[in-house]
Amino acid sequence: MELLIPAGNMNKLKSAVQYGANAVYLSGQNFGLREASDNFSLEQLREAVEYCHAHQVKSYITLNGFLHDEDILHVKDYVNFLNQIKADALIISDLGLISFISEFNLIPIHLSTQASCLNSSAGQFWKKHGVKRLILGRETSLAEASEIKRDTGLEVELFIHGSMCMSYSGNCTISNFTQGRDSNRGGCAQSCRFEYSFKEVNEKNNEDKFSLEKSKSYFMSSKDLNGIDLIPEYYNYKIDSVKVEGRMKSEFYAGLTAKAYREAIDLVGAGKTMEFNQRLPILNNYLNKYSHRSYTHASLLEKAQVDSIYDERESEVEGQHNYVGKSLGLYKDNYLMMSVKKKFTIGCLLEFHLFSGENVTTKVGEILDLDLERIEKPKPSSVVLIPLNDKIPNDVLISLVHGG
């Protein structure tokens, strides 16, 4: 079963690969649905695909925006470029685009979740038009996904982790009205996460019939999806690929999520169900180390109910850790060289998130610059040295343990 991790830029892509992704999905500068993400230039796309292939990882390129004729005119050169660099799949939602590129495209097509494929009849339709994999809507249960796979003979990909949308994917225009940004062409402002007042007016006398309490005014915001405990069910239902949402999230998110799900998939795939159950609290702890909303199974087992609404302020669910940097290798044998992302201080507790296996923690007794001069608080974007006896590979993510 494939583990598919988001890659919003090259750093996120490398973290996803190093922490265990089988495949990543990413976007060029155009035709995708995450304009606010860094995304990749053409040369960066070439580098990304080469890096993935060198590590036996597949690269899927998103062209899943809702396109107009003026957009279609510019697609041919782009798809030919993706043919040339040997991308592993194109993620597309637009039937017209699939038809347009059919004569010159050499890359398998995966149907984007934006197309909201929720049933076997739709799946069979897309199969006739050349689609090789269905990325099913988040409204689809595991049982329904299995039926669609059986009835169509296509691969199915199903989300397992990350942010959720309050509407059917690809059918939201709230950002268009609140921000003037087109949700379906890469401009989603996540307006559903905002605080709203709500009241129903009696049309006969113009009096308020109902109002929503202030504390419940985030009624369009969804909790985050977390299905790591359902990995055995994903296997039982023969899901081909488990997908993590989050191209706009950090490399810390990409790395830790990949690590948790990599171990879970490997244990269940090897038939080690008892060990998986024993490790599950630890794996869930990885997923609590970064900031997130409360977790839900959403519609994976049964249709999502009112308890899947996240009716709190966005800042109320914090991670247990702050991402503060990455390892750059040993310096003079007993110092670790570290690229600093956020400030930390002498006396704090740092955790080194190894690519596999148990993490390493250390209390910072000393921080030095590259001239071996002592400093109290390193600045972001600097490189510092900290004493460390453990051997830490390059590019390991480092976090500050809250309360440590």
Side-chain angles (χ1 to χ4, degrees):
M1 187 165 63
E2 176 184 87
L3 174 60
L4 177 57
I5 301 291
N9 59 33
M10 197 64 189
N11 285 337
K12 298 174 190 179
L13 182 146
K14 288 182 176 180
S15 286
V17 171
Q18 290 167 322
Y19 281 91
N22 299 117
V24 296
Y25 61 102
L26 57 152
S27 177
Q29 299 292 334
N30 299 301
F31 313 120
L33 280 176
R34 289 292 181 267
E35 286 185 350
S37 184
D38 295 341
N39 294 322
F40 292 72
S41 68
L42 294 182
E43 284 310 305
Q44 287 171 333
L45 280 174
R46 184 191 300 276
E47 179 188 355
V49 172
E50 289 176 353
Y51 180 87
C52 287
H53 289 172
H55 292 81
Q56 292 77 53
V57 170
K58 293 183 178 180
S59 55
Y60 304 151
I61 313 299
T62 63
L63 291 85
N64 57 347
F66 288 18
L67 305 184
H68 294 247
D69 281 336
E70 61 197 49
D71 305 307
I72 295 287
L73 293 174
H74 302 286
V75 167
K76 184 173 183 178
D77 288 344
Y78 182 56
V79 172
N80 280 331
F81 171 77
L82 297 177
N83 284 332
Q84 176 193 343
I85 64 174
K86 295 182 171 56
D88 294 288
L90 305 180
I91 300 175
I92 301 178
S93 58
D94 190 303
L95 177 59
L97 179 58
I98 293 173
S99 176
F100 177 74
I101 68 173
S102 61
E103 293 184 2
F104 55 87
N105 173 51
L106 305 175
I107 306 170
I109 294 173
H110 294 178
L111 181 71
S112 171
T113 188
Q114 298 302 120
S116 289
C117 182
L118 307 174
N119 58 70
S120 298
S121 294
Q124 289 163 353
F125 169 86
W126 290 109
K127 182 178 182 178
K128 290 177 182 177
H129 288 81
V131 168
K132 303 301 182 186
R133 176 187 289 187
L134 302 171
I135 307 172
L136 299 175
R138 289 172 177 81
E139 301 78 22
T140 310
S141 69
L142 281 159
E144 290 170 328
S146 181
E147 290 178 8
I148 293 170
K149 174 184 171 70
R150 182 196 64 209
D151 293 345
T152 63
L154 294 175
E155 293 182 2
V156 294
E157 178 179 310
L158 195 61
F159 280 91
I160 197 167
H161 195 90
S163 298
M164 298 283 292
C165 183
M166 58 79 63
S167 78
Y168 279 76
S169 297
N171 291 277
C172 179
T173 56
I174 301 176
S175 291
N176 300 58
F177 289 95
T178 61
Q179 302 285 308
R181 291 166 51 174
D182 195 332
S183 306
N184 298 303
R185 290 167 61 79
C188 179
Q190 296 197 347
S191 298
C192 59
R193 306 292 185 187
F194 298 169
E195 183 177 17
Y196 291 94
S197 59
F198 178 93
K199 62 183 179 180
E200 184 179 355
V201 176
N202 188 321
E203 294 181 359
K204 291 183 179 180
N205 55 20
N206 206 35
E207 293 180 355
D208 291 355
K209 290 171 58 180
F210 171 77
S211 62
L212 204 62
E213 296 177 12
K214 187 80 172 170
S215 63
K216 301 293 183 181
S217 57
Y218 297 88
F219 55 88
M220 289 191 290
S221 182
S222 171
K223 293 178 180 177
D224 286 350
L225 180 63
N226 178 355
I228 195 165
D229 61 317
L230 300 180
I231 287 292
E233 298 300 312
Y234 276 78
Y235 265 103
N236 290 340
Y237 284 113
K238 297 180 171 56
I239 305 303
D240 296 286
S241 178
V242 295
K243 184 170 191 171
V244 173
E245 180 277 339
R247 276 187 289 141
M248 292 174 60
K249 295 178 180 176
S250 70
E251 59 186 315
F252 187 56
Y253 169 91
L256 264 64
T257 309
K259 180 175 181 176
Y261 280 94
R262 175 78 276 141
E263 182 174 346
I265 289 170
D266 288 348
L267 287 173
V268 176
K272 299 179 180 179
T273 306
M274 184 177 297
E275 188 175 344
F276 165 75
N277 290 330
Q278 292 170 345
R279 291 285 296 172
L280 192 55
I282 296 171
L283 303 183
N284 262 311
N285 189 44
Y286 291 160
L287 305 177
N288 286 323
K289 290 186 177 183
Y290 47 72
S291 295
H292 60 88
R293 305 173 190 95
S294 301
Y295 284 133
T296 176
H297 282 157
S299 296
L300 291 174
L301 298 179
E302 56 187 24
K303 295 302 179 187
Q305 304 295 323
V306 67
D307 59 2
S308 69
I309 296 173
Y310 181 66
D311 52 14
E312 304 170 27
R313 290 185 180 274
E314 286 289 285
S315 61
E316 289 197 5
V317 178
E318 296 290 344
Q320 301 166 352
H321 292 209
N322 280 342
Y323 174 43
V324 294
K326 292 174 73 172
S327 62
L328 298 176
L330 286 177
Y331 185 87
K332 295 185 181 298
D333 294 331
N334 55 349
Y335 285 98
L336 178 77
M337 192 156 50
M338 172 181 171
S339 171
V340 179
K341 305 293 183 182
K342 288 185 179 179
K343 291 181 180 179
F344 62 96
T345 60
I346 292 174
C348 72
L349 186 66
L350 295 183
E351 183 165 4
F352 299 84
H353 300 271
L354 302 183
F355 300 135
S356 61
E358 301 303 321
N359 294 336
V360 172
T361 58
T362 187
K363 190 168 185 177
V364 179
E366 189 178 27
I367 307 173
L368 305 176
D369 62 21
L370 295 182
D371 294 322
L372 301 182
E373 296 292 331
R374 183 182 172 94
I375 53 179
E376 293 293 327
K377 292 182 180 180
K379 296 179 180 179
S381 301
S382 65
V383 175
V384 300
L385 307 174
I386 58 174
L388 192 69
N389 294 324
D390 298 277
K391 290 185 177 180
I392 303 295
N394 290 3
D395 295 326
V396 162
L397 302 173
I398 306 169
S399 64
L400 171 65
V401 181
H402 287 184

